[in-house]
Amino acid sequence: MTIRVAVLGMGSVGKGVLEMISRKDLGIIVTGVADSKSGLIDPKGLDIGAVLSSKKTGACGNPSITAKDVVACADYDILVEVTPTNAGNGEPALSYMKMAIERGSHIVTSNKGPISLYLKELNRLAGEKGVLVRYEATVGGAIPIMHTLGNGLAGNEFQALYGVLNGTCNYILTRMAAEGLTYDQALAEARELGYAEADPTYDVKGIDAAIKLVILANTIWDNGASLDRVDITGIDLLTTDALRLAEEKDCTIRLIAEAFPERGVLRVSPRIIRKDHPLVFEGTLNAITLETDMAGEITLIGKGAGSVETASAIIGDILFISSHVRSN
Ligand code: HSE
């Protein structure tokens, strides 16, 4: 069975998804794409190589076709929504997702805005239409945290979660400590490598990690967590000197996100931690530790940002839906 997808967004994640779909023989065809300026629709499947080449020189397609046209008119089983995050109201991604659900399509997204704000509503709408909303790529990049929560750890009770949820900050802190780069130099590198958000203040002010914490909390505890209830401190004011002082004590600094629901704790903040602590690792790695009743303590670790790494999560969700549809 061939699964048909429409892809909205051609930033680092969208391009990674298209490249992996074209490179691997996964039974996925792309019948629509859109970036912020243009779109393309072909019910037989687009030539992904041609789309990626025209994106290199500007818009991906026809300027008279919008993302909304693709959502409304393309033939697809799954809408892959990978446009930039808007943490304020989740738009325009939220409206695209609702339109696609209304048409009876499944959703796969990396978009943290609508999922942190409207997960419950999207799941309700999807349930009414008998479709799925999958959002593995919103948290932890390539780490299969949502599959783990929904499948491997099903039936467990969760007491707490904590970890490193932003690859850009971890990369910046690593580069500042290892190479003595300034914060601005390290951030410029992270942007160049496609790790940072379209608006990198989301990363460095701790907002991106806080949004991911909200998504995890709502997925695990369904406790109405929201961004305004997270106590957030970013790394944007950290100096190379602060890192050097930590190094002198055999410690380093990491941006840690944590949720202890029984104590009402939802927090993101830079912490001085010993270098031999399990949450100290380099580059864009993320880690999520879960405290559970049956499985005990479980830590998942992996690449938390990057084009192909995030595509791994998106493609895992597409194929999950494909097998779900086949077995129903
Ligand atoms: N900007 C994000 C990060 C991308 O650095 O973690 C993955 O969500």
Side-chain angles (χ1 to χ4, degrees):
M1 184 183 132
T2 300
I3 193 119
R4 301 166 305 165
V5 302
V7 179
L8 298 191
M10 281 201 60
S12 164
V13 177
K15 283 188 270 191
V17 169
L18 291 174
E19 269 164 22
M20 291 306 113
I21 289 176
S22 75
R23 197 180 300 172
K24 291 166 172 278
D25 185 15
L26 299 170
I28 303 169
I29 63 165
V30 180
T31 55
V33 290
D35 60 14
S36 55
K37 301 186 197 76
S38 67
L40 281 172
I41 295 174
D42 184 343
K44 293 198 192 76
L46 293 161
D47 175 347
I48 296 176
V51 174
L52 288 167
S53 324
S54 57
K55 182 66 189 170
K56 272 190 197 141
T57 53
C60 75
N62 181 339
S64 66
I65 299 177
T66 64
K68 195 172 170 192
D69 296 332
V70 171
V71 180
C73 305
D75 292 310
Y76 55 91
D77 307 299
I78 301 175
L79 181 71
V80 176
E81 211 294 335
V82 292
T83 62
T85 292
N86 169 351
N89 62 11
E91 292 294 359
L94 178 66
S95 298
Y96 298 149
M97 291 184 197
K98 285 184 176 173
M99 269 174 78
I101 291 171
E102 199 52 44
R103 289 189 51 182
S105 299
H106 305 277
I107 306 293
V108 170
T109 188
S110 61
N111 200 316
K112 291 161 267 198
I115 297 299
S116 64
L117 290 161
Y118 298 110
L119 178 59
K120 213 168 181 156
E121 184 183 348
L122 287 166
N123 275 334
R124 181 182 56 76
L125 295 172
E128 285 168 12
K129 290 284 176 183
V131 296
L132 298 174
V133 176
R134 303 281 304 180
Y135 51 97
E136 183 68 79
T138 57
V139 178
I143 300 173
I145 179 67
M146 300 302 168
H147 284 76
T148 303
L149 291 170
N151 300 296
L153 294 179
N156 275 271
E157 282 169 24
F158 297 86
Q159 283 91 36
L161 80 88
Y162 43 90
V164 171
L165 298 181
N166 184 272
T168 299
C169 288
N170 211 67
Y171 180 86
I172 290 171
L173 293 171
T174 305
R175 296 289 287 150
M176 285 173 75
E179 306 291 334
L181 296 190
T182 64
Y183 163 83
D184 288 325
Q185 288 167 328
L187 172 59
E189 273 190 9
R191 295 190 75 181
E192 180 74 19
L193 292 164
Y195 302 145
E197 295 301 295
D199 175 357
T201 57
Y202 275 38
D203 296 290
V204 296
K205 288 189 176 295
I207 299 164
D208 177 77
I211 294 172
K212 290 166 177 164
L213 193 62
V214 165
I215 294 173
L216 284 172
N218 284 329
T219 301
I220 296 172
W221 294 295
D222 188 18
N223 58 358
S226 57
L227 189 55
D228 58 2
R229 295 210 206 142
V230 187
D231 183 3
I232 310 175
T233 311
I235 64 157
D236 49 326
L237 301 177
L238 272 185
T239 58
T240 315
D241 276 350
L243 275 154
R244 193 181 40 75
L245 286 173
E247 290 269 330
E248 282 173 10
K249 296 196 161 59
D250 223 13
C251 292
T252 191
I253 299 177
R254 288 292 181 262
L255 187 71
I256 304 296
E258 55 198 331
F260 295 91
E262 278 178 17
R263 288 193 265 133
V265 172
L266 267 183
R267 182 167 48 220
V268 172
S269 58
R271 296 290 186 80
I272 298 175
I273 40 184
R274 287 190 58 83
K275 278 181 164 173
D276 57 5
H277 190 281
L279 290 181
V280 176
F281 37 69
E282 308 218 318
T284 58
L285 287 176
N286 279 194
I288 303 161
T289 298
L290 300 159
E291 288 181 6
T292 75
D293 64 338
M294 291 192 285
E297 193 178 291
I298 295 248
T299 300
L300 287 86
I301 181 164
K303 295 270 176 66
S307 174
V308 173
E309 292 82 353
T310 310
S312 165
I314 298 270
I315 285 172
D317 275 346
I318 294 172
L319 296 179
F320 175 91
I321 291 172
S322 173
S323 61
H324 170 88
V325 169
R326 266 202 295 269
S327 64
N328 278 296

